[in-house]
Amino acid sequence: MGLSRLAALHGVATSYSPSPDVTVSVPDDTVIAVLAALGVDAGTPEDVRRSLVAAESRSRLLPPTVVVWAGEPLPPALTALPPGSTVTVEPEPAGGPPAPATSWKVPEVASSWKLPGVAEAAPDPAEFPPGWTQPPYGVHRVHVRAPDHHEATATLVVAPARVPQPPERTHGFLVQLYSLLSARSWGMGDLGDLADLAAWAGRTLGSGFIQVNPLHAAVPGHPTDPSPYRPSSRRFPDPVHLHVESVPEYGHVHDRATLDDLRQDAAALSEAVLNKGALIDRDAVWELKRQALELIAQVPLTPGRRAAYCDFLAEQGQALEDHALWCALAEVHGPDWHSWPEPLRDPRSPGTARARSELLDRVDLHCRLAWLTATQLADAQRAAEDAGMEVGIVHDLAVGVHPAGADTWAQQDAFAHGMSVGAPPDAFNARGQDWGLPPWRPDALAATGYAAFRGLLRGLLAHAGALRIDHVMGLFRLWWVPEGRPPTDGTYVTYDAEAMLAVLVLEAHRAGSAVVGEDLGTVEPGVREALARRGVLGTSVLWFERDWDGDGRPLAPEKWRRDCLATATTHDLPSTAARLTGDHVTLRHRLGLLTRPLEEELTEDVTGTAEWLALLARLRMLPEGDGNEEAAVRAVHRFLRATPARMTGVWLPDTVGDRRPQNLPGTWDQYPNWRLPIADPEGHPVTLEEIAASPRLHGLMEVLRRPKARTAPPGERPA
């Protein structure tokens, strides 16, 4: 009983329900291990008693972080304060002179007071204390002094009620950027290709957005982990995505012969991928780009460019210093900081400070690469906006980071070491999942006012029209798996979802960006409702949208939710053509991934697909007698457009009939995950230029929106 109480006080579950009628108990040793990762000793009954007394004896006037939503009543943390308490708020610096702190007295009826300008009603500028921004959204400090002289200080997050919303109806493409090679790519798709795709899709097709995979910095290795969902750092992008020729200093490199040789080698890489059946080789691409970028870095920056670079350094501050230093140290000591010399494992040690001085040139190079990448990210968003896109580039936030990477080194106190994020057993995976990503400690986040989360969001949203959050349920709880144990021996740990959402809404509001949450799979009751209340869109994938509370048949389009991104597939699922033909089942059979006989799997798959096709036919979306695959793909997207979904996403490989998934969960070496270029139905890679000219693409996109008329340049036929 004591262990259960102690676990509950720290948000650690001692049981969970994989389905409404089933409850599973968590092993005690799992609970003890998770508590230990949170700094709570529960190894013996005496330890439990001692930790329980310590936890229950803590009395705070305020929790570490307090959330106030604009236009809504104050939270209990403030309304429960003793009458007569003095509440002092120190406003967040707004870029100008520091605003003075402002104090209020809590009245005798504490529940009736309000924080001027933000509580109970829409902000009224007349109520703002002097020096506050209007409205006072931000991350402030609040200090309370009670009449009995007890005091407490906390972080005060004041957020608008909802994130900015996308237009009522818009469509766009979903693409894994590395897979989109153009005629000018250096062996994989890059930010120049992204800008070009956005400019073309916005102007020619009337598309409103392009959603890409996470562009986070990867952990270097031999080979590098190609998954964009297991990065070294989520805070900074990877310079492998740079379009080298677009860097302004490129044209002033003195050693043109070496640069030309590198370009020829890059062309050979692309040729091998596009015409010789080679896989995308991220390491080979980076080796060529690294050499080119080191030559470019020798070119002095012009005064204006240097000023812009200095501004970037000042804006990014310590976070960029740490990231660049980790990159420089990894070049010398390897990519796993746990194996570095002891002094270098601490980013604040004197030994690390000395190493920084010795590696100053490399640190500056990595800072400059981060700046160049951020600049091209901004260029891509600008190209999208100039093309008339209402949203623009939708960036992707991975659920976690690699345990050996830059983020875990620089923010060691924020992570639960010895733990990994995953998923419990469910109907689709009886063994559960271990993703190999260390989780953030909820107590450390709260104690620091969610500084790490705020900085992460601010960096990602700087050049984003919207942000997709992978496994958005992680804002509420995550499945922690102790190191060395199977995923079945994990448990859920809860986070302060109110605070996490407030920070998300605040940063999205500042950036003017919409937010899409990937809420597929096991979703705790109330989560989708809480996200919707704050304006976070959900994700609806056609094949999963069924009447699960009724007959289980495909959900009619008018019954779909409005506030979502509706798609036919994702990067972890079969392409639409593969789904319609059953190719995805035979692929998994060839790789030995099926848990039932092939015939059973095929029968179930054919039955499910037939139900959808029958619905499409009844709705007159699939022309009678037209049973070819291309017509069925168009019908699927015609259906998506008939739903009330605000955003309709088209998987770019679907536009040319690609049958291969970009990622096949459950595989490692058996399948070339994250290394395939977009291809036609026969598996022949196609370039961005060929995609843009594809009659199949234009036929599909007419289903969503007829292309705008345009005047073609002399000698070119309009698309």
Side-chain angles (χ1 to χ4, degrees):
M1 189 66 183
L3 181 61
S4 296
R5 172 65 179 157
L6 183 63
L9 288 172
H10 291 88
V12 179
T14 54
S15 66
Y16 67 97
S17 298
S19 61
D21 301 325
V22 178
T23 299
V24 178
S25 295
V26 175
D28 283 354
D29 55 352
T30 293
V31 176
I32 292 169
V34 171
L35 286 170
L38 292 169
V40 180
D41 192 354
T44 67
E46 180 57 35
D47 292 333
V48 171
R49 284 192 290 271
R50 189 165 43 249
S51 295
L52 195 54
V53 168
E56 292 180 329
S57 64
R58 293 192 196 103
S59 81
R60 292 180 55 94
L61 280 172
L62 293 172
T65 299
V66 178
V67 172
V68 172
W69 297 100
E72 298 180 15
L74 291 180
L78 296 179
T79 58
L81 290 172
S85 297
T86 301
V87 179
T88 302
V89 174
E90 299 174 7
E92 178 183 34
T102 306
S103 298
W104 299 270
K105 281 281 188 183
V106 177
E108 287 302 314
V109 183
S111 61
S112 68
W113 81 290
K114 61 181 180 177
L115 195 64
V118 296
E120 298 181 0
D124 180 358
E127 292 183 340
F128 288 103
W132 278 61
T133 56
Q134 299 186 18
Y137 302 144
V139 181
H140 316 295
R141 297 295 290 169
V142 59
H143 182 81
V144 172
R145 181 182 176 87
D148 63 2
H149 303 297
H150 279 87
E151 299 185 42
T153 300
T155 299
L156 175 67
V157 181
V158 182
R162 290 167 61 83
V163 300
Q165 296 297 287
E168 284 300 315
R169 299 285 284 173
T170 187
H171 66 81
F173 291 120
L174 319 177
V175 62
Q176 300 283 291
L177 181 57
Y178 60 84
S179 70
L180 180 69
L181 281 74
S182 70
R184 63 182 188 175
S185 300
W186 283 38
M188 61 183 279
D190 58 39
L191 291 170
D193 298 322
L194 177 60
D196 201 46
L197 174 67
W200 166 75
R203 296 178 188 279
T204 303
L205 305 173
S207 299
F209 65 91
I210 304 291
Q211 178 183 300
V212 295
N213 55 285
L215 304 182
H216 309 319
V219 177
H222 301 285
T224 299
D225 184 345
S227 172
Y229 291 91
R230 203 161 180 253
S232 169
S233 172
R234 296 186 294 174
R235 176 65 182 81
F236 295 99
D238 198 309
V240 76
H241 299 111
L242 281 168
H243 180 242
V244 175
E245 290 96 328
S246 293
V247 178
E249 288 73 37
Y250 175 86
H252 301 280
V253 170
H254 177 69
D255 188 353
R256 304 306 299 181
T258 300
L259 209 53
D260 288 343
D261 288 343
L262 292 172
R263 287 183 62 186
Q264 290 179 12
D265 291 343
L269 277 181
S270 288
E271 170 69 13
V273 171
L274 293 172
N275 296 312
K276 297 180 180 178
L279 298 174
I280 292 170
D281 188 339
R282 181 191 179 104
D283 292 337
V285 172
W286 174 237
E287 178 58 26
L288 296 178
K289 288 191 176 184
R290 181 191 61 77
Q291 295 180 52
L293 291 165
E294 288 180 353
L295 290 174
I296 291 170
Q298 296 173 16
V299 177
L301 296 174
T302 65
R305 292 271 291 164
R306 176 155 292 280
Y309 178 43
C310 290
D311 282 351
F312 179 79
L313 293 175
E315 290 165 4
Q316 304 305 317
Q318 187 67 53
L320 178 59
E321 284 275 338
D322 289 343
H323 176 71
L325 178 54
W326 182 91
C327 292
L329 289 169
E331 292 175 336
V332 178
H333 301 287
D336 185 350
W337 61 268
H338 299 90
S339 65
W340 292 355
E342 186 75 32
L344 302 182
R345 299 176 199 172
D346 178 359
R348 305 290 171 250
S349 74
T352 301
R354 286 193 297 273
R356 184 193 180 284
S357 297
E358 295 165 359
L359 297 170
L360 195 58
D361 287 346
R362 299 304 296 179
V363 171
D364 180 66
L365 173 67
H366 290 291
C367 286
R368 187 182 292 202
L369 294 180
W371 169 58
L372 293 175
T373 312
T375 301
Q376 291 195 7
L377 287 169
D379 291 342
Q381 176 62 12
R382 192 176 305 112
E385 292 170 349
D386 290 347
M389 285 192 167
E390 305 98 332
V391 176
I393 309 302
V394 182
H395 286 284
D396 198 350
L397 172 60
V399 72
V401 293
H402 196 287
D407 282 2
T408 58
W409 177 73
Q411 304 168 12
Q412 292 178 37
D413 292 342
F415 287 93
H417 300 284
M419 294 289 140
S420 177
V421 174
D426 57 28
F428 300 100
N429 193 327
R431 294 186 293 271
Q433 299 177 57
D434 183 344
W435 302 331
L437 308 169
W440 267 335
R441 286 180 53 163
D443 57 333
L445 287 175
T448 58
Y450 295 84
F453 189 42
R454 283 153 42 202
L456 168 61
L457 290 173
R458 194 166 297 183
L460 283 170
L461 289 164
H463 311 299
L467 179 67
R468 174 192 180 270
I469 300 180
D470 192 43
H471 194 70
V472 72
M473 296 82 78
L475 299 179
F476 296 77
R477 66 178 185 177
L478 282 171
W479 184 258
W480 287 23
V481 181
E483 185 177 341
R485 301 188 188 180
T488 50
D489 285 355
T491 189
Y492 279 113
V493 176
T494 60
Y495 292 75
D496 186 343
E498 190 81 349
M500 299 283 276
L501 279 173
V503 170
L504 172 63
V505 172
L506 175 62
E507 294 300 337
H509 172 80
R510 285 171 161 167
S513 300
V515 179
V516 178
E518 186 268 296
D519 56 353
L520 304 174
T522 302
V523 183
E524 188 180 11
V527 167
R528 287 195 174 108
E529 293 77 7
L531 292 169
R533 183 183 180 194
R534 298 305 169 197
V536 178
L537 305 187
T539 301
S540 293
V541 178
L542 181 130
W543 310 102
F544 303 152
E545 291 296 313
R546 290 174 173 266
D547 183 9
W548 298 116
D549 295 327
D551 58 13
R553 299 185 73 81
L555 199 63
E558 67 273 10
K559 294 184 178 180
W560 283 43
R561 52 181 168 170
R562 170 177 171 270
D563 294 325
C564 74
L565 167 64
T567 72
T569 190
T570 73
H571 59 268
D572 282 333
L573 296 171
S575 69
T576 305
R579 176 81 67 172
L580 290 167
T581 58
D583 284 4
H584 67 111
V585 178
T586 55
L587 171 62
R588 294 180 66 83
H589 173 66
R590 289 200 305 271
L591 297 176
L593 300 176
L594 298 184
T595 57
R596 296 183 298 172
L598 174 62
E599 293 73 18
E600 287 185 27
E601 293 278 356
L602 284 173
T603 298
E604 181 177 295
D605 184 69
V606 168
T607 301
T609 301
E611 289 178 341
W612 276 104
L613 292 176
L615 176 59
L616 296 176
R618 287 198 302 273
L619 295 173
R620 300 180 183 275
M621 294 179 179
L622 184 62
E624 186 176 353
D626 194 347
N628 72 69
E629 168 210 308
E630 188 174 341
V633 172
R634 286 199 299 270
V636 163
H637 289 84
R638 191 175 287 116
F639 179 95
L640 293 176
R641 194 59 168 164
T643 72
R646 297 178 72 111
M647 301 174 71
T648 302
V650 180
W651 179 236
L652 190 59
D654 274 350
T655 66
V656 289
D658 197 345
R659 282 176 160 76
R660 306 175 304 176
Q662 282 293 317
N663 177 49
L664 192 58
T667 64
W668 183 249
D669 292 331
Q670 309 100 304
Y671 186 79
N673 296 319
W674 318 113
R675 289 172 286 171
L676 292 172
I678 296 174
D680 65 17
E682 287 72 42
H684 300 140
V686 291
T687 64
L688 171 57
E689 293 83 1
E690 291 167 332
I691 292 171
S694 167
R696 178 166 178 153
L697 177 142
H698 287 279
L700 173 58
M701 297 310 292
E702 280 188 9
V703 166
L704 299 176
R705 180 175 176 179
R706 190 170 296 279
K708 295 183 294 186
R710 68 180 181 91
T711 302
E716 179 186 323
R717 293 183 178 180

